[in-house]
C-alpha cells in the first residue's frame, strides 16, 4: 500500500504567518510522530500520537507549535507566527505498533522556509 | 541527560572496502537501538532494530552489534557499494516513554 505522505512538500512563508503541515500515515498505523530535521543533523523529536491521543509533546520548541490528530489518522502540525529559525525539514513517521516500540516509516518531509 | 553520540562524523572509503560506524549512548532505561540509513533529501529508512537481549543483527551486508553493558553499538558494512553513500543514524529508544533519541549521524561516502 501507499507509504506515509506529507503535504505540502515545500512551503515558503513570510515571517509572522501561520503554517499548517499535513501528514497522512500508512493506513492502520497506530502511532504517528513529528520530527524536525536541520541540514546535516539527525531528526529532532517534536511530538507523537497513539491513535488520536497526543502522548508526548515535550519536543515542541514553544507554544507556537501545536499538533493534532483528531480522528486517529491524518495529523496536522501547526506553527503560528512563524520565525526564520523555524525553517527546517519537518518529517512525519508512522508505526503499526503503539508508543515507539515498532518500526517507523518516514514520509518525504515538508521543507519549510520562513523568509 | 539521554544522549546518543556517533563517530566518526564523516567517513570516506573506496568501493569494495569494509567499514565500521560507532554509536555510544547514555539513554536509560534502555528499550531498543535502531540504525537508520538516510539518503540525501530522503527520509530515514530502518536497517535494524535491536532489543536488550540481542547483541548482533544482520541485514544483508549490514551487521549491527550491541553491547548493553557498555552502551555501545556498531554498524559494520561489508564490501561497500556506491549506493551505500548516505548518512547512518543511530537511534535509541527509552523504555520510560519510548521517545526516540537520535544521533547526529555519520556521513559515509563511497568512492569508486
Amino acid at each position: 500500500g501507499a507509504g506515509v505522505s506529507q503535504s505540502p512538500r515545500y512551503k515558503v512563508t513570510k515571517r509572522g504567518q501561520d503554517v499548517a503541515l499535513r501528514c497522512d500515515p500508512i493506513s492502520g498505523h497506530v502511532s504517528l510522530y513529528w520530527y524536525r530535521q536541520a541540514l546535516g543533523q539527525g531528526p529532532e523529536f517534536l511530538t507523537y500520537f497513539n491513535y488520536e491521543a497526543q502522548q508526548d509533546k515535550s519536543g515542541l520548541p514553544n507554544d507556537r507549535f501545536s499538533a493534532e490528530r483528531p480522528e486517529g489518522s491524518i495529523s496536522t502540525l501547526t506553527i503560528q507566527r512563524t520565525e526564520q529559525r523555524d525553517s527546517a525539514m519537518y518529517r512525519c513517521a508512522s508505526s503499526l505498533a503503539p508508543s515507539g516500540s515498532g518500526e517507523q516509516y518516514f514520509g518525504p518531509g515538508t521543507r519549510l522556509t520562513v523568509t | 541527560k539521554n544522549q546518543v553520540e556517533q563517530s566518526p562524523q564523516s567517513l570516506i572509503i573506496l568501493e569494495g572496502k569494509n567499514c565500521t560506524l560507532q554509536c555510544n549512548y547514555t539513554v536509560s532505561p534502555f528499550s531498543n537501538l535502531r540504525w537508520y540509513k538516510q539518503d540525501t533529501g530522503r527520509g530515514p529508512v530502518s536497517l535494524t532494530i535491536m532489543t536488550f537481549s540481542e547483541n548482533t543483527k544482520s541485514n544483508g551486508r549490514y551487521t549491527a552489534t550491541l553491547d548493553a553493558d557498555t552502551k555501545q553499538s556498531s554498524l559494520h558494512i561489508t564490501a561497500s557499494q556506491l549506493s551505500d553513500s548516505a548518512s547512518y543514524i543511530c537511534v535509541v529508544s527509552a523504555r520510560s516513554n519510548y521517545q526516540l533519541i537520535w544521533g547526529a549521524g555519520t556521513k559515509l561516502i563511497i568512492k569508486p
Side-chain angles (χ1 to χ4, degrees):
Chain A
V4 178
S5 62
Q6 292 184 244
S7 61
R9 293 291 309 276
Y10 301 91
K11 177 71 177 178
V12 180
T13 190
K14 291 188 176 180
R15 184 166 56 91
Q17 297 293 308
D18 298 351
V19 295
L21 312 180
R22 173 182 164 132
C23 172
D24 199 341
I26 293 172
S27 178
H29 276 199
V30 170
S31 298
L32 184 147
Y33 307 80
W34 282 100
Y35 296 92
R36 178 167 68 175
Q37 187 170 20
L39 199 62
Q41 299 292 316
E44 171 194 14
F45 170 81
L46 296 177
T47 185
Y48 89 94
F49 296 81
N50 280 345
Y51 302 102
E52 73 284 356
Q54 192 169 18
Q55 300 293 319
D56 183 346
K57 54 181 181 179
S58 62
L60 295 176
N62 51 59
D63 60 9
R64 295 186 296 107
F65 287 72
S66 63
E68 62 175 9
R69 193 186 184 198
E71 297 178 2
S73 179
I74 293 168
S75 177
T76 302
L77 176 70
T78 301
I79 309 173
Q80 295 178 309
R81 306 180 302 281
T82 52
E83 301 177 4
Q84 285 187 324
R85 60 180 171 154
D86 299 333
S87 296
M89 175 71 81
Y90 288 83
R91 295 199 186 275
C92 170
S94 72
S95 173
L96 185 60
S99 295
S101 55
E103 190 73 67
Q104 291 192 15
Y105 297 86
F106 283 80
T110 294
R111 168 71 66 189
L112 175 66
T113 303
V114 182
T115 60
Chain B
K1 182 182 176 183
N2 288 333
Q3 281 187 313
V4 176
E5 294 182 348
Q6 292 187 242
S7 62
Q9 193 173 23
S10 62
L11 181 63
I12 302 173
I13 63 172
L14 292 175
E15 186 180 10
K17 298 296 186 183
N18 304 336
C19 67
T20 301
L21 314 180
Q22 300 292 342
C23 173
N24 296 337
Y25 62 92
T26 58
V27 178
S28 182
F30 174 85
S31 176
N32 58 66
L33 184 145
R34 309 155 189 238
W35 282 94
Y36 282 87
K37 177 185 178 187
Q38 184 171 24
D39 293 311
T40 302
R42 308 291 295 273
V45 174
S46 179
L47 296 175
T48 63
I49 300 179
M50 288 190 292
T51 60
F52 184 89
S53 59
E54 297 174 293
N55 52 27
T56 187
K57 197 167 229 183
S58 291
N59 177 359
R61 294 179 296 101
Y62 301 102
T63 299
T65 65
L66 172 65
D67 185 335
D69 291 331
T70 61
K71 299 186 176 179
Q72 295 179 326
S73 176
S74 66
L75 180 70
H76 186 75
I77 304 174
T78 304
S80 61
Q81 299 176 359
L82 296 179
S83 60
D84 293 333
S85 294
S87 287
Y88 291 83
I89 310 174
C90 175
V91 187
V92 181
S93 174
R95 182 155 39 88
S96 54
N97 60 8
Y98 292 105
Q99 185 181 124
L100 299 189
I101 295 107
W102 295 71
T106 292
K107 186 172 177 63
L108 177 65
I109 298 172
I110 310 297
K111 293 206 163 184

